[in-house]
Amino acid sequence: MILDSKEPKGPIEERWDKHRFDMKLVNPANKRKFKVIVVGSGLAGASAAATLGELGYNVSCFAYQDSPRRAHSIAAQGGINSAKNYPNDGDSVFRLFYDTVKGGDYRSRESNVYRLSQVSVNIIDQAVGQGVPFAREYGGLLTNRSFGGAQVSRTFYARGQTGQQLLLGAYQALARQIHAGKVEMHNRTEMLDLVLVNGHARGIITRNLVDGTITRHAADAVILATGGYSNVFYLSTNAMGCNVTAAFRAYKKGATFANPCYTQIHPTCIPVKGDYQSKLTLMSESLRNDGRVWVPKKVGDHRPPNSIPDEERDYYLERRYPSFGNLVPRDVASRNAKIVCDEGRGVGGGQAVYLDFRDAIARDGKDAVEAKYGNLFHMYHKITDEDPYSTPMRIYPAPHYTMGGLWVDYNLMSNVPGLHVLGEANFSDHGSNRLGASALMQGLADGYFVIPYTLGNYLATAKQEKVTTDHPEFVAAEAEVQGRIDKLLSNNGTATVDSYHRRLGRIMWEYCGMSRSDEGLRKAIVEISELRAEFWDNVSVTGSKGTFNSVLERAGRVADFLELGELMCRDALERAESCGGHFREESQTAEGEALRIDEQYSHVAAWEYQGEGTDPVRHTEDLEFEYVKLTQRSYK
């Protein structure tokens, strides 16, 4: 298989404009002849469905939540990046491009990242026009704050609820198209398979989560905007419903899965408290603007934090990385938190570090800090019963975002013709580590400003015949879905679905989490394979298929996580270098920093499914760096 990126040539700042001009168009009168399926209604899905509906396409949008407003995009807190350069502090489209490629540790495609940086300036105008209440200066102008991995302030924000406000903006646009009859919304509906006709994506099979009805849906193209897969770790910052099923069904129908081992461990999360937890809570990276990260200098120092004087505190990020300090990228901050905790200097039981706002409050006043972070402080107080205004927060890294996803070309189309993949569900923009505030940027860029052009090009050139849901491929796909459901329900096992998910999460965190090794990954592959066999032999799935059945929902998702976990470990094993959030213990500098091996691994790894019981095949797409020179990252 040849992975053709379809990158345009020429000066990078001209590529997207030239590519848009060279693409074929669908004239306005013909757009109403095409039907498009959009799976997912978060920022990428809602913005894509709304924009395509506005253009005149007939859109069917699917979400397993009871409303698009419940999509996990709502949980994003700190902000959205854009190269507006409003603070006049040296930012530019090229600098955002440079920071993003460098932050991803030189494992992303330059053309895609530059386009993302270009259209970022349009996203803010779009959102402001929708009424998104971004924070403003006293005079009324939009304000910015800093995020990790950058030395400029380019992050627009709405307190600590930026994702919610942006999603409401996209939802308004979506609701307008629903009212206009251009978008048909299917809530509480989960995609369970992709349908291919003559090798092209032509529809999906869904299950209504309320009454269990299995339904076929045909279209001229399919867009997946279904988010990431961090819940493979069981405990993560993702909502409990987040899953990989839609993307994994596409993988099993021939779409390659790129860089699955690239997962992000967010450094600023409330630490695990006990086995009863089902998820973890994120504390926005924006807190590192004013909060200082530290641990005691002495091992075993268990004094209350306010009793430890400054000279006995180790502000280790400021010490090790004086240029960036507490605003180093997420992978660097997470790895260093693990190091100091492994040394025995962790706090709150050993698996946490302090995030301290004492100096910011003394400098700016409590009111100023509350104005910027008040809802985050309130959330922390409600969860921990500790007041972060008077006592430092305790934080520790946790699984958060996934940079891996289905492989796509420059047009955001997978290797399966007609299957486009947007936002976190694809692999394209973040390399091996995403900079904070770039997820919202990518989701909206893909949905508002990229897919409207590239989808039209596909529809104008593919020239596929119309198909109906009576086609044999739809019949076969539905039968496959029904068989999988029947197999789960007829298992008569004794162990709960959640027990298998929790065991998988422990294996993944131990061997494919913050650090990985050859020995550990080989062990994980064996353990996951055994766990998967046990799952299908002994899982208990109660209830029936023709009704609301949350156990059945979770069982299907965990079954896919069990296969994905093994694929992630295979991918991590094959990449014997450290890069970004992927830290191989065998590949590090004398100072303990990640050590890339560019001559061997400067490529995307995309895995092709070969069938049950057969190992997947690893394909590669070489990465070329014309504009950002390959160098070992340094934030010192």
Side-chain angles (χ1 to χ4, degrees), residues 229-260:
Y229 49 86
S230 272
N231 274 350
V232 70
F233 291 96
Y234 184 69
L235 288 178
S236 82
T237 66
N238 285 194
M240 290 179 65
C242 293
N243 63 83
V244 76
T245 290
F248 212 73
R249 296 297 98 202
Y251 163 70
K252 287 201 160 184
K253 285 298 177 73
T256 55
F257 210 117
N259 300 333

PDB file of all heavy atoms in Angstrom, residues 229-260:
ATOM      1  N   TYR A 229      -9.359   8.252  21.747  1.00  0.00           N
ATOM      2  CA  TYR A 229      -9.537   6.934  22.353  1.00  0.00           C
ATOM      3  C   TYR A 229      -8.795   6.776  23.686  1.00  0.00           C
ATOM      4  O   TYR A 229      -8.429   5.666  24.077  1.00  0.00           O
ATOM      5  CB  TYR A 229      -9.070   5.847  21.377  1.00  0.00           C
ATOM      6  CG  TYR A 229      -7.697   6.076  20.750  1.00  0.00           C
ATOM      7  CD1 TYR A 229      -6.523   5.667  21.379  1.00  0.00           C
ATOM      8  CD2 TYR A 229      -7.584   6.712  19.518  1.00  0.00           C
ATOM      9  CE1 TYR A 229      -5.290   5.868  20.806  1.00  0.00           C
ATOM     10  CE2 TYR A 229      -6.344   6.928  18.933  1.00  0.00           C
ATOM     11  CZ  TYR A 229      -5.201   6.501  19.574  1.00  0.00           C
ATOM     12  OH  TYR A 229      -3.970   6.717  18.999  1.00  0.00           O
ATOM     13  N   SER A 230      -8.623   7.880  24.414  1.00  0.00           N
ATOM     14  CA  SER A 230      -7.889   7.794  25.679  1.00  0.00           C
ATOM     15  C   SER A 230      -8.571   6.895  26.704  1.00  0.00           C
ATOM     16  O   SER A 230      -7.938   6.457  27.670  1.00  0.00           O
ATOM     17  CB  SER A 230      -7.683   9.185  26.288  1.00  0.00           C
ATOM     18  OG  SER A 230      -6.493   9.772  25.803  1.00  0.00           O
ATOM     19  N   ASN A 231      -9.843   6.603  26.532  1.00  0.00           N
ATOM     20  CA  ASN A 231     -10.510   5.709  27.474  1.00  0.00           C
ATOM     21  C   ASN A 231     -10.034   4.274  27.371  1.00  0.00           C
ATOM     22  O   ASN A 231     -10.467   3.419  28.157  1.00  0.00           O
ATOM     23  CB  ASN A 231     -12.033   5.768  27.287  1.00  0.00           C
ATOM     24  CG  ASN A 231     -12.659   6.892  28.085  1.00  0.00           C
ATOM     25  OD1 ASN A 231     -12.007   7.519  28.923  1.00  0.00           O
ATOM     26  ND2 ASN A 231     -13.925   7.160  27.837  1.00  0.00           N
ATOM     27  N   VAL A 232      -9.133   3.998  26.434  1.00  0.00           N
ATOM     28  CA  VAL A 232      -8.485   2.684  26.438  1.00  0.00           C
ATOM     29  C   VAL A 232      -7.741   2.467  27.758  1.00  0.00           C
ATOM     30  O   VAL A 232      -7.544   1.331  28.206  1.00  0.00           O
ATOM     31  CB  VAL A 232      -7.526   2.545  25.228  1.00  0.00           C
ATOM     32  CG1 VAL A 232      -6.310   3.427  25.391  1.00  0.00           C
ATOM     33  CG2 VAL A 232      -7.114   1.088  25.024  1.00  0.00           C
ATOM     34  N   PHE A 233      -7.363   3.554  28.421  1.00  0.00           N
ATOM     35  CA  PHE A 233      -6.663   3.484  29.709  1.00  0.00           C
ATOM     36  C   PHE A 233      -7.624   3.329  30.891  1.00  0.00           C
ATOM     37  O   PHE A 233      -7.182   3.310  32.030  1.00  0.00           O
ATOM     38  CB  PHE A 233      -5.818   4.738  29.921  1.00  0.00           C
ATOM     39  CG  PHE A 233      -4.634   4.858  29.003  1.00  0.00           C
ATOM     40  CD1 PHE A 233      -4.714   5.619  27.837  1.00  0.00           C
ATOM     41  CD2 PHE A 233      -3.441   4.213  29.288  1.00  0.00           C
ATOM     42  CE1 PHE A 233      -3.631   5.730  26.984  1.00  0.00           C
ATOM     43  CE2 PHE A 233      -2.351   4.329  28.439  1.00  0.00           C
ATOM     44  CZ  PHE A 233      -2.449   5.083  27.292  1.00  0.00           C
ATOM     45  N   TYR A 234      -8.911   3.258  30.623  1.00  0.00           N
ATOM     46  CA  TYR A 234      -9.978   3.207  31.614  1.00  0.00           C
ATOM     47  C   TYR A 234     -10.066   4.535  32.365  1.00  0.00           C
ATOM     48  O   TYR A 234     -11.044   5.248  32.250  1.00  0.00           O
ATOM     49  CB  TYR A 234      -9.822   2.042  32.598  1.00  0.00           C
ATOM     50  CG  TYR A 234     -10.992   1.942  33.566  1.00  0.00           C
ATOM     51  CD1 TYR A 234     -12.257   1.570  33.117  1.00  0.00           C
ATOM     52  CD2 TYR A 234     -10.848   2.220  34.918  1.00  0.00           C
ATOM     53  CE1 TYR A 234     -13.338   1.495  33.982  1.00  0.00           C
ATOM     54  CE2 TYR A 234     -11.922   2.148  35.786  1.00  0.00           C
ATOM     55  CZ  TYR A 234     -13.167   1.787  35.314  1.00  0.00           C
ATOM     56  OH  TYR A 234     -14.238   1.721  36.170  1.00  0.00           O
ATOM     57  N   LEU A 235      -9.044   4.867  33.147  1.00  0.00           N
ATOM     58  CA  LEU A 235      -9.022   6.169  33.812  1.00  0.00           C
ATOM     59  C   LEU A 235      -8.383   7.188  32.882  1.00  0.00           C
ATOM     60  O   LEU A 235      -7.221   7.058  32.495  1.00  0.00           O
ATOM     61  CB  LEU A 235      -8.244   6.101  35.127  1.00  0.00           C
ATOM     62  CG  LEU A 235      -8.897   5.361  36.292  1.00  0.00           C
ATOM     63  CD1 LEU A 235      -7.965   5.353  37.495  1.00  0.00           C
ATOM     64  CD2 LEU A 235     -10.234   5.989  36.662  1.00  0.00           C
ATOM     65  N   SER A 236      -9.145   8.202  32.508  1.00  0.00           N
ATOM     66  CA  SER A 236      -8.626   9.274  31.668  1.00  0.00           C
ATOM     67  C   SER A 236      -9.463  10.514  31.927  1.00  0.00           C
ATOM     68  O   SER A 236     -10.447  10.473  32.666  1.00  0.00           O
ATOM     69  CB  SER A 236      -8.686   8.889  30.186  1.00  0.00           C
ATOM     70  OG  SER A 236      -9.982   9.108  29.659  1.00  0.00           O
ATOM     71  N   THR A 237      -9.078  11.615  31.303  1.00  0.00           N
ATOM     72  CA  THR A 237      -9.861  12.843  31.439  1.00  0.00           C
ATOM     73  C   THR A 237     -11.075  12.848  30.518  1.00  0.00           C
ATOM     74  O   THR A 237     -11.889  13.764  30.575  1.00  0.00           O
ATOM     75  CB  THR A 237      -8.996  14.078  31.116  1.00  0.00           C
ATOM     76  OG1 THR A 237      -8.631  14.044  29.733  1.00  0.00           O
ATOM     77  CG2 THR A 237      -7.738  14.112  31.980  1.00  0.00           C
ATOM     78  N   ASN A 238     -11.190  11.852  29.640  1.00  0.00           N
ATOM     79  CA  ASN A 238     -12.315  11.803  28.710  1.00  0.00           C
ATOM     80  C   ASN A 238     -13.611  11.453  29.424  1.00  0.00           C
ATOM     81  O   ASN A 238     -13.606  10.759  30.443  1.00  0.00           O
ATOM     82  CB  ASN A 238     -12.063  10.759  27.619  1.00  0.00           C
ATOM     83  CG  ASN A 238     -11.054  11.204  26.578  1.00  0.00           C
ATOM     84  OD1 ASN A 238     -10.949  10.600  25.530  1.00  0.00           O
ATOM     85  ND2 ASN A 238     -10.290  12.254  26.876  1.00  0.00           N
ATOM     86  N   ALA A 239     -14.736  11.898  28.840  1.00  0.00           N
ATOM     87  CA  ALA A 239     -16.036  11.471  29.334  1.00  0.00           C
ATOM     88  C   ALA A 239     -16.133   9.956  29.205  1.00  0.00           C
ATOM     89  O   ALA A 239     -15.528   9.350  28.311  1.00  0.00           O
ATOM     90  CB  ALA A 239     -17.151  12.141  28.536  1.00  0.00           C
ATOM     91  N   MET A 240     -16.906   9.326  30.081  1.00  0.00           N
ATOM     92  CA  MET A 240     -16.945   7.873  30.108  1.00  0.00           C
ATOM     93  C   MET A 240     -17.482   7.271  28.813  1.00  0.00           C
ATOM     94  O   MET A 240     -17.174   6.129  28.476  1.00  0.00           O
ATOM     95  CB  MET A 240     -17.777   7.392  31.294  1.00  0.00           C
ATOM     96  CG  MET A 240     -17.109   7.635  32.632  1.00  0.00           C
ATOM     97  SD  MET A 240     -18.115   7.073  34.008  1.00  0.00           S
ATOM     98  CE  MET A 240     -18.141   5.305  33.715  1.00  0.00           C
ATOM     99  N   GLY A 241     -18.280   8.036  28.069  1.00  0.00           N
ATOM    100  CA  GLY A 241     -18.820   7.509  26.823  1.00  0.00           C
ATOM    101  C   GLY A 241     -17.868   7.568  25.652  1.00  0.00           C
ATOM    102  O   GLY A 241     -18.118   6.941  24.614  1.00  0.00           O
ATOM    103  N   CYS A 242     -16.777   8.320  25.760  1.00  0.00           N
ATOM    104  CA  CYS A 242     -15.834   8.433  24.641  1.00  0.00           C
ATOM    105  C   CYS A 242     -15.290   7.054  24.278  1.00  0.00           C
ATOM    106  O   CYS A 242     -14.909   6.282  25.165  1.00  0.00           O
ATOM    107  CB  CYS A 242     -14.688   9.380  25.002  1.00  0.00           C
ATOM    108  SG  CYS A 242     -15.191  11.091  25.215  1.00  0.00           S
ATOM    109  N   ASN A 243     -15.224   6.756  23.001  1.00  0.00           N
ATOM    110  CA  ASN A 243     -14.819   5.414  22.581  1.00  0.00           C
ATOM    111  C   ASN A 243     -14.159   5.448  21.216  1.00  0.00           C
ATOM    112  O   ASN A 243     -14.098   6.497  20.569  1.00  0.00           O
ATOM    113  CB  ASN A 243     -16.038   4.487  22.569  1.00  0.00           C
ATOM    114  CG  ASN A 243     -17.087   4.917  21.577  1.00  0.00           C
ATOM    115  OD1 ASN A 243     -17.008   4.608  20.393  1.00  0.00           O
ATOM    116  ND2 ASN A 243     -18.094   5.665  22.044  1.00  0.00           N
ATOM    117  N   VAL A 244     -13.697   4.290  20.767  1.00  0.00           N
ATOM    118  CA  VAL A 244     -12.993   4.197  19.488  1.00  0.00           C
ATOM    119  C   VAL A 244     -13.789   3.412  18.452  1.00  0.00           C
ATOM    120  O   VAL A 244     -13.317   3.173  17.351  1.00  0.00           O
ATOM    121  CB  VAL A 244     -11.606   3.533  19.696  1.00  0.00           C
ATOM    122  CG1 VAL A 244     -11.745   2.010  19.897  1.00  0.00           C
ATOM    123  CG2 VAL A 244     -10.650   3.841  18.549  1.00  0.00           C
ATOM    124  N   THR A 245     -15.019   3.010  18.785  1.00  0.00           N
ATOM    125  CA  THR A 245     -15.744   2.049  17.964  1.00  0.00           C
ATOM    126  C   THR A 245     -15.918   2.488  16.516  1.00  0.00           C
ATOM    127  O   THR A 245     -15.665   1.711  15.586  1.00  0.00           O
ATOM    128  CB  THR A 245     -17.104   1.729  18.605  1.00  0.00           C
ATOM    129  OG1 THR A 245     -16.872   0.973  19.796  1.00  0.00           O
ATOM    130  CG2 THR A 245     -17.979   0.913  17.669  1.00  0.00           C
ATOM    131  N   ALA A 246     -16.357   3.713  16.270  1.00  0.00           N
ATOM    132  CA  ALA A 246     -16.566   4.153  14.881  1.00  0.00           C
ATOM    133  C   ALA A 246     -15.271   4.077  14.080  1.00  0.00           C
ATOM    134  O   ALA A 246     -15.238   3.541  12.961  1.00  0.00           O
ATOM    135  CB  ALA A 246     -17.134   5.568  14.855  1.00  0.00           C
ATOM    136  N   ALA A 247     -14.186   4.611  14.638  1.00  0.00           N
ATOM    137  CA  ALA A 247     -12.903   4.579  13.942  1.00  0.00           C
ATOM    138  C   ALA A 247     -12.403   3.148  13.773  1.00  0.00           C
ATOM    139  O   ALA A 247     -11.833   2.791  12.737  1.00  0.00           O
ATOM    140  CB  ALA A 247     -11.873   5.413  14.701  1.00  0.00           C
ATOM    141  N   PHE A 248     -12.627   2.317  14.786  1.00  0.00           N
ATOM    142  CA  PHE A 248     -12.115   0.950  14.706  1.00  0.00           C
ATOM    143  C   PHE A 248     -12.917   0.114  13.724  1.00  0.00           C
ATOM    144  O   PHE A 248     -12.377  -0.780  13.064  1.00  0.00           O
ATOM    145  CB  PHE A 248     -12.114   0.291  16.091  1.00  0.00           C
ATOM    146  CG  PHE A 248     -10.999  -0.693  16.271  1.00  0.00           C
ATOM    147  CD1 PHE A 248      -9.701  -0.253  16.425  1.00  0.00           C
ATOM    148  CD2 PHE A 248     -11.233  -2.060  16.260  1.00  0.00           C
ATOM    149  CE1 PHE A 248      -8.653  -1.143  16.575  1.00  0.00           C
ATOM    150  CE2 PHE A 248     -10.200  -2.962  16.412  1.00  0.00           C
ATOM    151  CZ  PHE A 248      -8.903  -2.511  16.570  1.00  0.00           C
ATOM    152  N   ARG A 249     -14.234   0.383  13.599  1.00  0.00           N
ATOM    153  CA  ARG A 249     -15.022  -0.297  12.567  1.00  0.00           C
ATOM    154  C   ARG A 249     -14.475   0.070  11.185  1.00  0.00           C
ATOM    155  O   ARG A 249     -14.419  -0.769  10.287  1.00  0.00           O
ATOM    156  CB  ARG A 249     -16.480   0.115  12.652  1.00  0.00           C
ATOM    157  CG  ARG A 249     -17.231  -0.260  13.911  1.00  0.00           C
ATOM    158  CD  ARG A 249     -17.347  -1.751  14.110  1.00  0.00           C
ATOM    159  NE  ARG A 249     -16.343  -2.241  15.028  1.00  0.00           N
ATOM    160  CZ  ARG A 249     -15.922  -3.496  15.073  1.00  0.00           C
ATOM    161  NH1 ARG A 249     -16.409  -4.381  14.241  1.00  0.00           N
ATOM    162  NH2 ARG A 249     -15.030  -3.872  15.943  1.00  0.00           N
ATOM    163  N   ALA A 250     -14.102   1.348  11.012  1.00  0.00           N
ATOM    164  CA  ALA A 250     -13.530   1.777   9.733  1.00  0.00           C
ATOM    165  C   ALA A 250     -12.181   1.096   9.498  1.00  0.00           C
ATOM    166  O   ALA A 250     -11.868   0.687   8.373  1.00  0.00           O
ATOM    167  CB  ALA A 250     -13.378   3.295   9.714  1.00  0.00           C
ATOM    168  N   TYR A 251     -11.379   0.981  10.554  1.00  0.00           N
ATOM    169  CA  TYR A 251     -10.088   0.278  10.451  1.00  0.00           C
ATOM    170  C   TYR A 251     -10.298  -1.158   9.973  1.00  0.00           C
ATOM    171  O   TYR A 251      -9.567  -1.650   9.105  1.00  0.00           O
ATOM    172  CB  TYR A 251      -9.397   0.317  11.821  1.00  0.00           C
ATOM    173  CG  TYR A 251      -8.287  -0.675  12.023  1.00  0.00           C
ATOM    174  CD1 TYR A 251      -7.068  -0.544  11.348  1.00  0.00           C
ATOM    175  CD2 TYR A 251      -8.427  -1.747  12.910  1.00  0.00           C
ATOM    176  CE1 TYR A 251      -6.040  -1.457  11.548  1.00  0.00           C
ATOM    177  CE2 TYR A 251      -7.417  -2.651  13.115  1.00  0.00           C
ATOM    178  CZ  TYR A 251      -6.221  -2.512  12.436  1.00  0.00           C
ATOM    179  OH  TYR A 251      -5.203  -3.423  12.630  1.00  0.00           O
ATOM    180  N   LYS A 252     -11.310  -1.816  10.501  1.00  0.00           N
ATOM    181  CA  LYS A 252     -11.552  -3.205  10.116  1.00  0.00           C
ATOM    182  C   LYS A 252     -12.128  -3.324   8.705  1.00  0.00           C
ATOM    183  O   LYS A 252     -12.158  -4.421   8.145  1.00  0.00           O
ATOM    184  CB  LYS A 252     -12.471  -3.877  11.127  1.00  0.00           C
ATOM    185  CG  LYS A 252     -11.790  -4.172  12.454  1.00  0.00           C
ATOM    186  CD  LYS A 252     -12.504  -5.256  13.226  1.00  0.00           C
ATOM    187  CE  LYS A 252     -11.582  -5.878  14.263  1.00  0.00           C
ATOM    188  NZ  LYS A 252     -12.221  -7.004  14.966  1.00  0.00           N
ATOM    189  N   LYS A 253     -12.577  -2.204   8.144  1.00  0.00           N
ATOM    190  CA  LYS A 253     -13.042  -2.203   6.760  1.00  0.00           C
ATOM    191  C   LYS A 253     -11.964  -1.704   5.787  1.00  0.00           C
ATOM    192  O   LYS A 253     -12.253  -1.465   4.621  1.00  0.00           O
ATOM    193  CB  LYS A 253     -14.312  -1.353   6.631  1.00  0.00           C
ATOM    194  CG  LYS A 253     -15.558  -2.040   7.189  1.00  0.00           C
ATOM    195  CD  LYS A 253     -15.888  -3.334   6.429  1.00  0.00           C
ATOM    196  CE  LYS A 253     -17.072  -4.079   7.000  1.00  0.00           C
ATOM    197  NZ  LYS A 253     -18.359  -3.415   6.713  1.00  0.00           N
ATOM    198  N   GLY A 254     -10.736  -1.527   6.288  1.00  0.00           N
ATOM    199  CA  GLY A 254      -9.638  -1.197   5.390  1.00  0.00           C
ATOM    200  C   GLY A 254      -8.967   0.131   5.598  1.00  0.00           C
ATOM    201  O   GLY A 254      -7.916   0.402   5.001  1.00  0.00           O
ATOM    202  N   ALA A 255      -9.537   1.019   6.427  1.00  0.00           N
ATOM    203  CA  ALA A 255      -8.885   2.303   6.701  1.00  0.00           C
ATOM    204  C   ALA A 255      -7.678   2.070   7.604  1.00  0.00           C
ATOM    205  O   ALA A 255      -7.792   1.386   8.622  1.00  0.00           O
ATOM    206  CB  ALA A 255      -9.864   3.269   7.361  1.00  0.00           C
ATOM    207  N   THR A 256      -6.541   2.610   7.257  1.00  0.00           N
ATOM    208  CA  THR A 256      -5.355   2.394   8.078  1.00  0.00           C
ATOM    209  C   THR A 256      -5.396   3.267   9.324  1.00  0.00           C
ATOM    210  O   THR A 256      -5.898   4.397   9.300  1.00  0.00           O
ATOM    211  CB  THR A 256      -4.062   2.690   7.294  1.00  0.00           C
ATOM    212  OG1 THR A 256      -4.127   4.007   6.759  1.00  0.00           O
ATOM    213  CG2 THR A 256      -3.875   1.695   6.161  1.00  0.00           C
ATOM    214  N   PHE A 257      -4.864   2.722  10.419  1.00  0.00           N
ATOM    215  CA  PHE A 257      -4.826   3.426  11.708  1.00  0.00           C
ATOM    216  C   PHE A 257      -3.397   3.913  11.913  1.00  0.00           C
ATOM    217  O   PHE A 257      -2.468   3.114  12.003  1.00  0.00           O
ATOM    218  CB  PHE A 257      -5.244   2.480  12.836  1.00  0.00           C
ATOM    219  CG  PHE A 257      -5.906   3.179  13.997  1.00  0.00           C
ATOM    220  CD1 PHE A 257      -7.220   2.900  14.328  1.00  0.00           C
ATOM    221  CD2 PHE A 257      -5.212   4.106  14.745  1.00  0.00           C
ATOM    222  CE1 PHE A 257      -7.837   3.533  15.397  1.00  0.00           C
ATOM    223  CE2 PHE A 257      -5.817   4.752  15.822  1.00  0.00           C
ATOM    224  CZ  PHE A 257      -7.137   4.463  16.143  1.00  0.00           C
ATOM    225  N   ALA A 258      -3.217   5.228  11.993  1.00  0.00           N
ATOM    226  CA  ALA A 258      -1.875   5.814  12.016  1.00  0.00           C
ATOM    227  C   ALA A 258      -1.428   6.159  13.430  1.00  0.00           C
ATOM    228  O   ALA A 258      -2.199   6.722  14.218  1.00  0.00           O
ATOM    229  CB  ALA A 258      -1.834   7.064  11.148  1.00  0.00           C
ATOM    230  N   ASN A 259      -0.208   5.817  13.753  1.00  0.00           N
ATOM    231  CA  ASN A 259       0.441   6.189  15.012  1.00  0.00           C
ATOM    232  C   ASN A 259      -0.444   5.937  16.244  1.00  0.00           C
ATOM    233  O   ASN A 259      -0.583   6.828  17.098  1.00  0.00           O
ATOM    234  CB  ASN A 259       0.848   7.666  14.999  1.00  0.00           C
ATOM    235  CG  ASN A 259       1.804   8.009  13.890  1.00  0.00           C
ATOM    236  OD1 ASN A 259       2.560   7.158  13.415  1.00  0.00           O
ATOM    237  ND2 ASN A 259       1.791   9.252  13.448  1.00  0.00           N
ATOM    238  N   PRO A 260      -1.050   4.762  16.381  1.00  0.00           N
ATOM    239  CA  PRO A 260      -1.966   4.559  17.517  1.00  0.00           C
ATOM    240  C   PRO A 260      -1.311   4.717  18.879  1.00  0.00           C
ATOM    241  O   PRO A 260      -1.988   5.023  19.855  1.00  0.00           O
ATOM    242  CB  PRO A 260      -2.492   3.132  17.307  1.00  0.00           C
ATOM    243  CG  PRO A 260      -1.492   2.480  16.399  1.00  0.00           C
ATOM    244  CD  PRO A 260      -0.969   3.557  15.520  1.00  0.00           C
TER     245      PRO A 260
END
